[in-house]
Amino acid sequence: MTKHCVLTLICLLMCSLTVSAQKRAMLSGKIISAEDKSIIDFATVYLKGTSYGCTTNERGIYHLKAPAGTYTLVVSAIGFETFEEQITLKNEERTRQTIVLKTATHQLDEVVVVSNGVSRVQKSAFNAVALDTRELHNSTKSLSDALTQLPGLKLRESGGVGSDMQLMLDGFSGKHVKIFIDGVPQEGAGTAFDINNIPVNFAERIEVYKGVVPVGFGTDALGGVINIVTNKRRRSWHLDASYSYGSFNTHKSYINFGQTFRNGLMYEINAFQNFSDNDYYIDNYITEFGDDGITENTDRNKIYHVRRFNDQFHNEAIIGKVGLVDKKWADRLMLGFTFSNFYKEIQTGVYQYIVFGEKHRKGHSFVPSLEYSKRNLFTKGLDVMLTANYNHNITNNIDTATYKYNWLGDRKFTGSHGEQSYQDNESKNTNWNGTFTANYRIGTAHTFTLNHVLSTFRRTTRSYVDGSSKISDFSIPKITRKNITGLSYRLMPTEKWNFSAFGKYYNQYNQGPVSQSEDGVGNYIDMHRHTSAFGYGAAGTYFIIKGLQAKLSYEKAYRLPTTDELFGDEDLEAGKTDLRPEKSDNVNFNLSYNRQFGKHGIYVEGTLIYRDTKDYIQRGLSTVSGMSYGIYENHGRVKTKGFNISARYNYSRWFSLGGTYNNINVRDDERYTAENTQQQSATYGQRMPNLPYVFANFDATFTWHGLFAEGNVLTISYDGYYQHEFPLYWERFGDPSTKSRVPEQLSHNLSIGYSIKNGRYNLSLECRNLTDEKLYDNFSLQKAGRAFYGKFRVYFGG
């Protein structure tokens, strides 16, 4: 749905339905930026204490109808200071007023959209981009699907809907990249809230900070931060609902509704669900079972085209919020409640030839939360934000079958319980998260930011069958506590340049089982570890000429091990409580050019990346007693050098074309096998295994406004993805002709959408993997072939 459709609908509903048969007046005008006189679209315009309001269209123009009288006019927009002024509206007269908004220099999310939803977080000195997801709300994409349009980002999934996934950002993956929702960390949120399970409609935009991260997020990320930004603007009653159906019996639905009353009371409900059988075809050899129930025959050279059969997934979530906005003592005070549930069948282990027929996982969580924010608290220039949440999460891992399965769905009786590891256990995970952020502005040039994050985690596991799993000890509680404090100073003397310097203090306490065995499993003891460290950094940006911007940043950063790395998942991943934090020197340089020439828009950017990481935490694969599992370990020293290039062109509102190319070189830089020895490591200088290093994406969108009727819009979109082959293990080991590699691949997606009555009704059809390519993100774990999806969406309200 395009901005024009949404904006026209909002203005019609808010400006027409709310005004009765009284004598009316009209207020019209344009909203522009004080910095460069550019128009500001999607600014909110309303009369304080009333329900009369509207939103600017793509040309920055607004039209507001209301009864005659004297009001306080309020105008707000993301990245700008709120404007307030008393106005008088006269009967049956039109008042015209152009309003100029000043840039809010203290905010992190100063976003300038350039085309097709991709934008630069421009005023920030940090290397950051943003994606406007509103243009994707009619698609069936998840938030992780949307992120792949951005430079340096790679989504790695092990299968279909609900599968395990990792985000890779400029060579760092998984736990190196932290995820936030409206600035609140999501570590420990549970499977139902994995970013590939959240519909794209949930977000208004997604911000990605690459490498060096602002203090305001209070995080220990090395690779970067992904911040999911929801719509927090004051709105009258609204409803956004959608349903989609597609291949592999996939159903997805989403609903969001809420209202803000004249007295500032507001409520909002978000709910979504995903369901899929994930019964797509894959190619693999088959272990055939003899009629005697004992013998097995496996011909690895004979490949069958077989359907997955134990891979059903569904999740449900509901998020409710109620609170007050625009009060003298609080700009926003919200009490929230979130409940989520998931069920996930486990089709394979870490390799595709491992087949499970009954193994599954399920769980649920309940999360109460509190949010408070106030600008100019006690004194002008002091802004405060406080968030807190408690996550009570229950996860069950169940593997009790007494059969062995093959890819045909045939099974044979084994006489022993467990397809992988006999278990029926319940893990109770409890998380407390609290964040405090204070910004203090001195004049227009100086800003201080103080941030503190407290995070606690505790897991206790009990088994309904004998003992613990092979890769964990349920009798030892698993506990971690993090405290991260950051202080930054920002200097912005002119609009042409600004500079930030910051320091961080990291503190972590861990308690849990540590194996005394050489293979990393079994023979556990209870271990305690306390870690503290200081980090620091600086970032600056300079506008060389109009539209040409340079950014440079450096950070001495630390990443504290996550709960999954420390404690595993009690199933397929083995934890290691004595992991050391990663230490890294990060440097980013970015050059971008953004200009509009009449109806033609051009956006080009390039980024150079350098990381020198010590005690790099690497995920590996291992086997014990015939069971394959994942394990984490401190590798040593790793250096990352790379670059990505992004370009985009748009013609008016009709056409957009763009793409990114990424080349990330991550190599082992640990010269010697052990400290104080001269024996050189056999892997020194080699690429780190199982990491994509060359990949690209590209897209094109055609939009036809006013097709068949005013307010109707046709959108046709294409996007493609390329990935170069990469080795599963160290690239110089083994015979090159037989070594395991994830193959080169090229995929294509096509979609068509039609919006009616300014976006009130929307229908879209999509084809993914148009050419039915064999796609892999992780070794041997094949993803779905060609698939079709359809979606219907309705939108009402302001």
Side-chain angles (χ1 to χ4, degrees):
M1 181 169 57
T2 64
K3 293 180 181 178
H4 177 72
C5 299
V6 176
L7 300 172
T8 306
L9 172 63
I10 292 174
C11 289
L12 286 173
L13 291 173
M14 297 186 69
C15 301
S16 302
L17 298 179
T18 59
V19 180
S20 63
Q22 323 173 48
K23 296 289 185 179
R24 294 182 295 175
M26 171 74 81
L27 178 66
S28 301
K30 181 180 287 188
I31 311 297
I32 63 175
S33 167
E35 176 190 349
D36 56 8
K37 307 305 179 186
S38 61
I39 61 95
I40 301 174
D41 59 358
F42 255 73
T44 301
V45 183
Y46 67 95
L47 303 178
K48 195 170 186 177
T50 77
S51 60
Y52 305 122
C54 64
T55 310
T56 57
N57 63 16
E58 74 282 354
R59 298 186 299 275
I61 296 172
Y62 68 93
H63 300 287
L64 187 152
K65 292 181 180 180
T70 300
Y71 303 92
T72 298
L73 176 66
V74 181
V75 182
S76 63
I78 295 173
F80 296 88
E81 294 184 359
T82 301
F83 172 91
E84 290 193 18
E85 182 179 86
Q86 191 175 78
I87 62 167
T88 300
L89 302 181
K90 298 181 180 180
N91 284 342
E92 299 181 342
E93 289 188 10
R94 179 191 292 267
T95 300
R96 289 183 171 84
Q97 184 171 0
T98 296
I99 297 169
V100 180
L101 298 187
K102 297 179 180 179
T103 301
T105 58
H106 68 286
Q107 292 188 353
L108 290 173
D109 54 359
E110 297 153 319
V111 177
V112 179
V113 175
V114 293
S115 65
N116 199 34
V118 179
S119 58
R120 165 114 339 238
V121 186
Q122 195 172 45
K123 298 300 180 185
S124 170
F126 299 90
N127 182 19
V129 290
L131 178 72
D132 186 343
T133 62
R134 290 171 295 188
E135 297 182 7
L136 301 173
H137 281 185
N138 290 334
S139 74
T140 61
K141 294 180 182 293
S142 66
L143 288 178
S144 59
D145 294 327
L147 277 168
T148 58
Q149 295 185 18
L150 295 175
L153 268 160
K154 169 79 172 75
L155 173 67
R156 302 184 67 181
E157 290 183 294
S158 61
V161 177
S163 63
D164 295 335
M165 70 94 197
Q166 282 189 335
L167 280 170
M168 195 176 90
L169 179 57
D170 287 345
F172 281 94
S173 61
K175 315 307 178 184
H176 297 96
V177 182
K178 303 293 185 180
I179 297 174
F180 291 72
I181 296 179
D182 292 324
V184 179
Q186 294 301 296
E187 189 171 332
T191 299
F193 268 89
D194 283 347
I195 196 169
N196 60 331
N197 296 328
I198 303 177
V200 72
N201 302 65
F202 183 77
E204 182 174 76
R205 74 178 185 277
I206 309 173
E207 298 172 347
V208 179
Y209 291 81
K210 303 166 67 178
V212 182
V213 176
V215 160
F217 286 108
T219 184
D220 57 330
L222 283 187
V225 157
I226 294 170
N227 185 33
I228 301 164
V229 182
T230 62
N231 189 340
K232 288 189 173 183
R233 290 193 293 271
R234 179 172 179 151
R235 294 183 288 174
S236 58
W237 184 85
H238 62 277
L239 169 69
D240 185 358
S242 62
Y243 169 77
S244 69
Y245 173 76
S247 299
F248 322 121
N249 194 29
T250 301
H251 306 257
K252 297 182 178 183
S253 58
Y254 172 80
I255 187 168
N256 166 250
F257 63 92
Q259 186 175 10
T260 303
F261 298 93
R262 297 183 184 182
N263 62 2
L265 177 67
M266 71 86 67
Y267 71 90
E268 184 177 32
I269 299 292
N270 273 282
F272 60 87
Q273 63 82 218
N274 300 288
F275 177 94
S276 181
D277 286 331
N278 287 317
D279 55 348
Y280 58 88
Y281 282 92
I282 58 100
D283 300 284
N284 210 86
Y285 62 81
I286 291 176
T287 298
E288 296 178 337
F289 304 138
D291 294 336
D292 57 6
I294 300 174
T295 59
E296 297 181 8
N297 179 42
T298 301
D299 183 355
R300 299 196 176 200
N301 295 315
K302 188 175 182 180
I303 303 300
Y304 291 79
H305 194 56
V306 293
R307 185 189 290 269
R308 296 168 73 98
F309 60 91
N310 183 53
D311 203 20
Q312 188 182 100
F313 173 84
H314 66 82
N315 72 314
E316 302 81 31
I318 182 168
I319 307 105
K321 292 183 179 180
V322 61
L324 296 167
V325 296
D326 298 333
K327 295 297 182 182
K328 291 183 179 180
W329 43 271
D331 294 334
R332 186 176 175 89
L333 176 63
M334 291 292 143
L335 182 63
F337 300 93
T338 300
F339 177 79
S340 62
N341 177 74
F342 81 94
Y343 171 84
K344 178 179 180 179
E345 294 176 346
I346 311 297
Q347 178 71 88
T348 70
V350 293
Y351 299 101
Q352 189 164 277
Y353 65 80
I354 302 171
V355 187
F356 302 136
E358 299 180 40
K359 181 177 170 66
H360 62 280
R361 184 181 302 155
K362 61 183 179 179
H364 62 271
S365 67
F366 176 70
V367 185
S369 61
L370 178 69
E371 174 191 347
Y372 173 81
S373 63
K374 180 69 179 75
R375 285 171 53 87
N376 300 316
L377 180 67
F378 304 132
T379 184
K380 185 177 180 180
L382 178 61
D383 304 338
V384 172
M385 184 177 75
L386 177 69
T387 67
N389 65 64
Y390 169 72
N391 189 335
H392 186 89
N393 179 290
I394 301 292
T395 299
N396 298 87
N397 288 296
I398 301 169
D399 183 8
T400 58
T402 55
Y403 295 91
K404 180 178 181 178
Y405 285 79
N406 67 12
W407 272 117
L408 295 176
D410 299 333
R411 66 182 189 178
K412 78 167 189 176
F413 182 71
T414 62
S416 60
H417 290 279
E419 298 178 77
Q420 181 187 41
S421 175
Y422 182 34
Q423 61 178 316
D424 182 359
N425 61 63
E426 177 185 275
S427 295
K428 181 171 73 173
N429 304 313
T430 55
N431 292 72
W432 283 98
N433 289 290
T435 66
F436 172 80
T437 305
N439 291 298
Y440 184 58
R441 305 182 305 280
I442 303 174
T444 59
H446 309 278
T447 303
F448 290 90
T449 299
L450 174 67
N451 176 274
H452 182 77
V453 174
L454 167 65
S455 176
T456 71
F457 174 88
R458 180 182 177 88
R459 175 188 294 165
T460 54
T461 304
R462 61 177 177 175
S463 176
Y464 295 104
V465 295
D466 295 335
S468 301
S469 74
K470 295 180 181 178
I471 58 175
S472 184
D473 190 324
F474 296 163
S475 66
I476 301 176
K478 303 167 177 71
I479 299 170
T480 183
R481 292 191 294 269
K482 291 183 183 180
N483 283 276
I484 304 172
T485 304
L487 177 65
S488 73
Y489 165 71
R490 180 184 185 184
L491 173 65
M492 189 174 181
T494 72
E495 294 292 330
K496 196 169 184 178
W497 68 274
N498 68 78
F499 171 81
S500 296
F502 59 89
K504 291 182 180 180
Y505 173 70
Y506 306 85
N507 184 286
Q508 184 179 34
Y509 169 81
N510 302 323
Q511 177 186 348
V514 172
S515 173
Q516 300 299 292
S517 303
E518 291 186 3
D519 58 11
V521 298
N523 190 21
Y524 294 98
I525 61 170
D526 191 3
M527 194 218 71
H528 305 251
R529 177 187 285 273
H530 181 267
T531 303
S532 61
F534 285 96
Y536 51 87
T541 183
Y542 181 74
F543 288 86
I544 302 169
I545 59 174
K546 185 177 181 180
L548 181 62
Q549 182 182 15
K551 296 186 176 189
L552 179 65
S553 58
Y554 164 79
E555 180 179 19
K556 178 70 173 181
Y558 289 81
R559 185 180 76 84
L560 306 175
T562 66
T563 55
D564 285 345
E565 292 169 334
L566 292 168
F567 310 129
D569 64 358
E570 313 294 358
D571 184 18
L572 298 173
E573 301 287 324
K576 193 172 184 181
T577 309
D578 57 350
L579 284 173
R580 297 183 301 275
E582 292 180 329
K583 303 179 286 291
S584 183
D585 293 285
N586 299 337
V587 180
N588 290 273
F589 176 73
N590 176 270
L591 195 65
S592 64
Y593 181 71
N594 173 33
R595 285 296 300 273
Q596 193 76 28
F597 302 94
K599 293 184 178 181
H600 304 273
I602 297 176
Y603 176 66
V604 181
E605 75 158 277
T607 300
L608 297 176
I609 304 130
Y610 175 82
R611 312 271 190 272
D612 185 356
T613 308
K614 302 175 184 65
D615 287 330
Y616 181 86
I617 298 176
Q618 179 186 12
R619 180 183 181 271
L621 303 177
S622 189
T623 302
V624 61
S625 301
M627 182 186 76
S628 298
Y629 61 95
I631 191 169
Y632 296 92
E633 58 184 356
N634 289 107
H635 172 73
R637 189 169 186 173
V638 171
K639 279 190 178 177
T640 302
K641 300 176 184 178
F643 66 90
N644 48 63
I645 301 171
S646 179
R648 190 161 293 276
Y649 164 79
N650 69 293
Y651 175 75
S652 186
R653 297 184 298 152
W654 290 90
F655 181 71
S656 174
L657 174 69
T660 68
Y661 174 81
N662 309 273
N663 189 306
I664 310 297
N665 193 0
V666 185
R667 293 186 180 270
D668 179 15
D669 199 51
E670 190 68 27
R671 182 181 293 272
Y672 302 110
T673 56
E675 293 183 5
N676 302 318
T677 73
Q678 294 301 308
Q679 183 180 353
Q680 184 162 306
S681 169
T683 60
Y684 175 69
Q686 294 190 41
R687 292 186 191 277
M688 296 299 291
N690 197 24
L691 281 179
Y693 58 91
V694 173
F695 51 96
N697 61 69
F698 33 90
D699 62 79
T701 301
F702 171 76
T703 306
W704 188 345
H705 297 270
L707 180 63
F708 301 131
E710 184 68 27
N712 294 1
V713 179
L714 174 71
T715 303
I716 301 174
S717 297
Y718 160 83
D719 63 270
Y721 186 84
Y722 167 78
Q723 177 180 281
H724 192 276
E725 69 170 16
F726 60 92
L728 179 66
Y729 302 110
W730 296 103
E731 59 184 349
R732 295 179 194 166
F733 289 0
D735 184 347
S737 64
T738 60
K739 67 191 311 178
S740 300
R741 295 178 180 272
V742 176
E744 182 179 70
Q745 46 202 291
L746 178 65
S747 63
H748 312 268
N749 306 311
L750 186 66
S751 66
I752 181 170
Y754 189 60
S755 294
I756 304 172
K757 293 187 176 181
N758 299 311
R760 175 175 293 184
Y761 307 105
N762 309 272
L763 179 66
S764 65
L765 300 173
E766 300 177 41
C767 178
R768 298 190 184 180
N769 194 2
L770 181 65
T771 54
D772 200 25
E773 298 293 323
K774 290 184 181 181
L775 303 180
Y776 304 85
D777 279 329
N778 295 304
F779 176 72
S780 84
L781 299 180
Q782 190 172 340
K783 299 174 66 177
R786 185 186 298 114
F788 298 92
Y789 301 92
K791 181 176 180 178
F792 178 70
R793 174 174 175 247
V794 296
Y795 185 91
F796 299 94

